[in-house]
PDB file of all heavy atoms in Angstrom:
ATOM      1  N   ARG A  98     -84.948  24.023 -18.302  1.00  0.00           N
ATOM      2  CA  ARG A  98     -86.057  24.386 -19.193  1.00  0.00           C
ATOM      3  C   ARG A  98     -86.391  25.873 -19.017  1.00  0.00           C
ATOM      4  O   ARG A  98     -86.318  26.419 -17.910  1.00  0.00           O
ATOM      5  CB  ARG A  98     -87.263  23.503 -18.918  1.00  0.00           C
ATOM      6  CG  ARG A  98     -86.999  22.045 -19.311  1.00  0.00           C
ATOM      7  CD  ARG A  98     -88.235  21.169 -19.183  1.00  0.00           C
ATOM      8  NE  ARG A  98     -88.671  21.010 -17.805  1.00  0.00           N
ATOM      9  CZ  ARG A  98     -89.409  19.991 -17.385  1.00  0.00           C
ATOM     10  NH1 ARG A  98     -89.768  19.034 -18.214  1.00  0.00           N
ATOM     11  NH2 ARG A  98     -89.790  19.913 -16.123  1.00  0.00           N
ATOM     12  N   LEU A 123     -69.236  26.690  -7.736  1.00  0.00           N
ATOM     13  CA  LEU A 123     -68.683  25.920  -8.822  1.00  0.00           C
ATOM     14  C   LEU A 123     -67.170  25.761  -8.728  1.00  0.00           C
ATOM     15  O   LEU A 123     -66.522  25.230  -9.623  1.00  0.00           O
ATOM     16  CB  LEU A 123     -69.048  26.568 -10.180  1.00  0.00           C
ATOM     17  CG  LEU A 123     -70.550  26.615 -10.472  1.00  0.00           C
ATOM     18  CD1 LEU A 123     -70.806  27.292 -11.815  1.00  0.00           C
ATOM     19  CD2 LEU A 123     -71.152  25.227 -10.472  1.00  0.00           C
ATOM     20  N   ALA A 290     -68.192  43.493 -14.700  1.00  0.00           N
ATOM     21  CA  ALA A 290     -69.307  43.122 -15.565  1.00  0.00           C
ATOM     22  C   ALA A 290     -69.378  44.021 -16.791  1.00  0.00           C
ATOM     23  O   ALA A 290     -69.813  43.577 -17.874  1.00  0.00           O
ATOM     24  CB  ALA A 290     -70.621  43.228 -14.773  1.00  0.00           C
ATOM     25  N   LEU A 307     -69.100  35.460 -39.160  1.00  0.00           N
ATOM     26  CA  LEU A 307     -68.170  35.133 -40.249  1.00  0.00           C
ATOM     27  C   LEU A 307     -68.403  33.732 -40.786  1.00  0.00           C
ATOM     28  O   LEU A 307     -68.010  33.422 -41.915  1.00  0.00           O
ATOM     29  CB  LEU A 307     -66.725  35.293 -39.762  1.00  0.00           C
ATOM     30  CG  LEU A 307     -66.305  36.718 -39.382  1.00  0.00           C
ATOM     31  CD1 LEU A 307     -64.833  36.775 -39.040  1.00  0.00           C
ATOM     32  CD2 LEU A 307     -66.644  37.694 -40.509  1.00  0.00           C
ATOM     33  N   VAL A 337     -72.977  33.149 -20.295  1.00  0.00           N
ATOM     34  CA  VAL A 337     -72.945  32.635 -18.916  1.00  0.00           C
ATOM     35  C   VAL A 337     -73.397  31.168 -19.001  1.00  0.00           C
ATOM     36  O   VAL A 337     -74.534  30.834 -18.686  1.00  0.00           O
ATOM     37  CB  VAL A 337     -73.837  33.464 -17.985  1.00  0.00           C
ATOM     38  CG1 VAL A 337     -73.722  32.939 -16.536  1.00  0.00           C
ATOM     39  CG2 VAL A 337     -73.442  34.916 -18.027  1.00  0.00           C
ATOM     40  N   ALA A 388     -86.597  36.872 -30.774  1.00  0.00           N
ATOM     41  CA  ALA A 388     -85.922  36.181 -29.675  1.00  0.00           C
ATOM     42  C   ALA A 388     -85.921  36.983 -28.374  1.00  0.00           C
ATOM     43  O   ALA A 388     -85.145  36.691 -27.463  1.00  0.00           O
ATOM     44  CB  ALA A 388     -84.471  35.862 -30.083  1.00  0.00           C
ATOM     45  N   GLN A 404     -77.921  45.840 -19.253  1.00  0.00           N
ATOM     46  CA  GLN A 404     -78.218  45.276 -20.561  1.00  0.00           C
ATOM     47  C   GLN A 404     -78.466  46.316 -21.657  1.00  0.00           C
ATOM     48  O   GLN A 404     -78.072  46.083 -22.803  1.00  0.00           O
ATOM     49  CB  GLN A 404     -79.359  44.262 -20.494  1.00  0.00           C
ATOM     50  CG  GLN A 404     -80.679  44.769 -19.990  1.00  0.00           C
ATOM     51  CD  GLN A 404     -81.737  43.664 -20.005  1.00  0.00           C
ATOM     52  OE1 GLN A 404     -82.180  43.225 -21.060  1.00  0.00           O
ATOM     53  NE2 GLN A 404     -82.101  43.195 -18.822  1.00  0.00           N
ATOM     54  N   ILE A 413     -73.538  48.486 -32.172  1.00  0.00           N
ATOM     55  CA  ILE A 413     -72.703  49.452 -32.867  1.00  0.00           C
ATOM     56  C   ILE A 413     -71.407  48.801 -33.343  1.00  0.00           C
ATOM     57  O   ILE A 413     -70.952  49.004 -34.477  1.00  0.00           O
ATOM     58  CB  ILE A 413     -72.434  50.661 -31.967  1.00  0.00           C
ATOM     59  CG1 ILE A 413     -73.726  51.437 -31.724  1.00  0.00           C
ATOM     60  CG2 ILE A 413     -71.364  51.581 -32.565  1.00  0.00           C
ATOM     61  CD1 ILE A 413     -73.632  52.517 -30.670  1.00  0.00           C
ATOM     62  N   TYR A 442     -68.047  32.903 -20.599  1.00  0.00           N
ATOM     63  CA  TYR A 442     -67.401  32.180 -21.684  1.00  0.00           C
ATOM     64  C   TYR A 442     -67.055  33.119 -22.833  1.00  0.00           C
ATOM     65  O   TYR A 442     -67.763  34.093 -23.100  1.00  0.00           O
ATOM     66  CB  TYR A 442     -68.316  31.074 -22.169  1.00  0.00           C
ATOM     67  CG  TYR A 442     -67.770  30.254 -23.302  1.00  0.00           C
ATOM     68  CD1 TYR A 442     -66.841  29.239 -23.073  1.00  0.00           C
ATOM     69  CD2 TYR A 442     -68.151  30.479 -24.616  1.00  0.00           C
ATOM     70  CE1 TYR A 442     -66.321  28.480 -24.089  1.00  0.00           C
ATOM     71  CE2 TYR A 442     -67.646  29.733 -25.665  1.00  0.00           C
ATOM     72  CZ  TYR A 442     -66.728  28.724 -25.383  1.00  0.00           C
ATOM     73  OH  TYR A 442     -66.215  27.985 -26.417  1.00  0.00           O
ATOM     74  N   TRP A 451     -58.564  40.380 -43.985  1.00  0.00           N
ATOM     75  CA  TRP A 451     -59.580  41.052 -44.815  1.00  0.00           C
ATOM     76  C   TRP A 451     -58.971  41.447 -46.156  1.00  0.00           C
ATOM     77  O   TRP A 451     -57.777  41.465 -46.317  1.00  0.00           O
ATOM     78  CB  TRP A 451     -60.150  42.288 -44.096  1.00  0.00           C
ATOM     79  CG  TRP A 451     -59.115  43.281 -43.674  1.00  0.00           C
ATOM     80  CD1 TRP A 451     -58.623  44.339 -44.352  1.00  0.00           C
ATOM     81  CD2 TRP A 451     -58.423  43.285 -42.379  1.00  0.00           C
ATOM     82  NE1 TRP A 451     -57.681  45.009 -43.597  1.00  0.00           N
ATOM     83  CE2 TRP A 451     -57.542  44.392 -42.403  1.00  0.00           C
ATOM     84  CE3 TRP A 451     -58.484  42.467 -41.255  1.00  0.00           C
ATOM     85  CZ2 TRP A 451     -56.714  44.688 -41.316  1.00  0.00           C
ATOM     86  CZ3 TRP A 451     -57.653  42.775 -40.193  1.00  0.00           C
ATOM     87  CH2 TRP A 451     -56.787  43.867 -40.204  1.00  0.00           C
TER      88      TRP A 451
END
Side-chain angles (χ1 to χ4, degrees):
R98 293 186 294 202
L123 297 179
L307 295 185
V337 183
Q404 60 179 290
I413 293 170
Y442 179 79
W451 55 90

